[in-house]
Amino acid sequence: MTQLTQIWDFFSSVKLAIFTLCALAATSIIGTIIPQGESSAFYVKNFGVQTAHFFQILDIPNMYYSWWFLGLLGLLSTNLIICSIDRFPSAWKIATADNLSIPPERIEKMSNCSKWEFATNKLKHMNITELLKQNGWSISSKKIGSNELFFGQKGRWSRLGVYIVHLSILLIFAGAVIGHFFGFKGSVMIPEMSSTQKVFAYKDAGSLELGFEVRCNSFAIEFYDNGMPKEYKSSLTVLENGMEILTKEIEVNSPLTYKGITFYQSSYQGYQDFLLNITESNSGEFKQFTLPFQKQMTWEEKNLQFGIVNADAIGQRVVRSKVWFKSGENPASIKWINDNDKTTFTSGKKEYTVSVKQMYATGLQAAKDPGVWVVYIGCGIMLLGLYVSFFMSHQRIWLYKNNDSTVPQLWLSGSANKNKIGFTKVFCKLKDCIERAVQR
């Protein structure tokens, strides 16, 4: 039985909690300094063969999922649970105690204690309950023979603040575990006008079924004068059973979420294909084509032939395209068109408005974390627990009508479990109110 007690005391000790928190803080710094999730070659190149081998043994490249880091989290969770089980009953007992059963002698010996002597009639007619209520105290009273004891308290549940914090930490851990085992993170590249029902997981690069379809309607990008990307965004549509459910334009920090899966704009890729839009001005008839570079295509219904015969580019970005356009037996026309701009081709009595842009694929990061709301709730509860723990205290006051002495007396005593200086001010304020009532 002694051995079990020693084990219990070890897991409920504050020293263990301090050690575990310091170890987690130190290892988190290591995980921040050393890049995570890189290839073995990266660590060999930057840290040397022996250090890289040591990293692999301790699973440093994937530190936050390593057995020893998860072990530290498990040790902290165990410590919090056992510590709470061990200490909570005494805190609950104090918070719910019958404070009217306290012996009068103990009231008199408290560090915060004041006494007044009264004429018999004056003490009898003093409304102590009303006086204390005016100062924000909830009052209960008890007759002790010919004497009477009054008790008031504030913030008694503040004694449970530390256990609220313990609960919040466990909820955050639970949310992280739920997200790890029942969620995923992946990515996918979707070309414009194409769709997908899968993403590829970061862990093993395996495909994951979404349960619905995501289509990239369009991709737009703006560049600085030096050619660096300034802003890019995608228009996405969610489809189920061929029906459009949701359409949203996403950009960095403005994702799309559907059925618990969030799609973030993360990257893009330019192609050597082009999106060509043709509109017949007279009828308004419109059609879009995906046009490979230097390949001829035909709109058979309108007897049109067209193609991209040349293009000017800065790096991988096309800035203008040379369009070849022919209608029926009429002579072909060639025009340069700036990227994502339009022009008009005239053939006989018909006019066609043509626009052209480089084709892109949008790079999306997909994440599903069913435990995120558990984490959010845990964070909210932690804020509540920290506020209760640091900014509230359990304040108690006793007023005792002592009619057994030669001259009737009134005793005022009080105590607080925290912020003694603040309580002394509260006690002095209450004492001043009683003295003013005495002098009336």
Side-chain angles (χ1 to χ4, degrees), residues 241-259:
N241 300 320
M243 297 180 60
E244 295 186 2
I245 306 299
L246 171 67
T247 297
K248 183 179 179 181
E249 192 173 83
I250 71 165
E251 55 187 330
V252 177
N253 297 326
S254 179
L256 177 149
T257 301
Y258 183 70
K259 288 191 173 180

Side-chain angles (χ1 to χ4, degrees), residues 3-47:
Q3 188 176 4
L4 290 175
T5 303
Q6 290 177 345
I7 294 173
W8 182 270
D9 291 342
F10 170 77
F11 281 106
S12 64
S13 68
V14 176
K15 292 180 180 179
L16 178 62
I18 294 173
F19 165 79
T20 309
L21 289 172
C22 291
L24 286 170
T27 52
S28 295
I29 293 172
I30 294 172
T32 303
I33 295 173
I34 299 174
Q36 299 289 296
E38 300 291 344
S39 64
S40 299
F42 172 86
Y43 297 103
V44 172
K45 179 182 177 181
N46 290 276
F47 300 97

Side-chain angles (χ1 to χ4, degrees), residues 80-146:
L80 291 175
I81 293 170
I82 294 180
C83 179
S84 298
I85 293 173
D86 189 58
R87 293 172 172 79
F88 181 80
S90 59
W92 180 264
K93 185 177 179 179
I94 295 173
T96 58
D98 179 12
N99 290 280
L100 290 171
S101 61
I102 186 172
E105 295 80 14
R106 186 177 168 189
I107 296 173
E108 189 178 13
K109 293 178 181 178
M110 290 183 180
S111 57
N112 291 305
C113 183
S114 296
K115 295 181 180 180
W116 295 270
E117 293 184 350
F118 293 88
T120 305
N121 291 336
K122 191 162 190 176
L123 182 59
K124 183 177 180 181
H125 291 94
M126 181 180 286
N127 192 339
I128 293 175
T129 300
E130 187 62 30
L131 179 65
L132 295 176
K133 284 183 177 180
Q134 288 174 1
N135 284 272
W137 298 90
S138 57
I139 297 301
S140 56
S141 61
K142 177 182 178 182
K143 286 282 187 179
I144 307 174
S146 60

Side-chain angles (χ1 to χ4, degrees), residues 256-281:
L256 177 149
T257 301
Y258 183 70
K259 288 191 173 180
I261 302 176
T262 302
F263 296 91
Y264 300 91
Q265 182 72 71
S266 62
S267 62
Y268 65 91
Q269 181 181 344
Y271 290 159
Q272 291 188 354
D273 295 341
F274 295 82
L275 291 176
L276 192 78
N277 298 319
I278 303 176
T279 304
E280 186 179 3
S281 301

Side-chain angles (χ1 to χ4, degrees), residues 67 102 115 143 184 216 284 349 412 416 426-427 432 439-440:
W67 61 268
I102 186 172
K115 295 181 180 180
K143 286 282 187 179
F184 64 81
C216 177
K349 296 182 179 181
L412 172 65
V426 172
F427 185 82
D432 292 341
Q439 293 170 6
R440 290 174 187 170

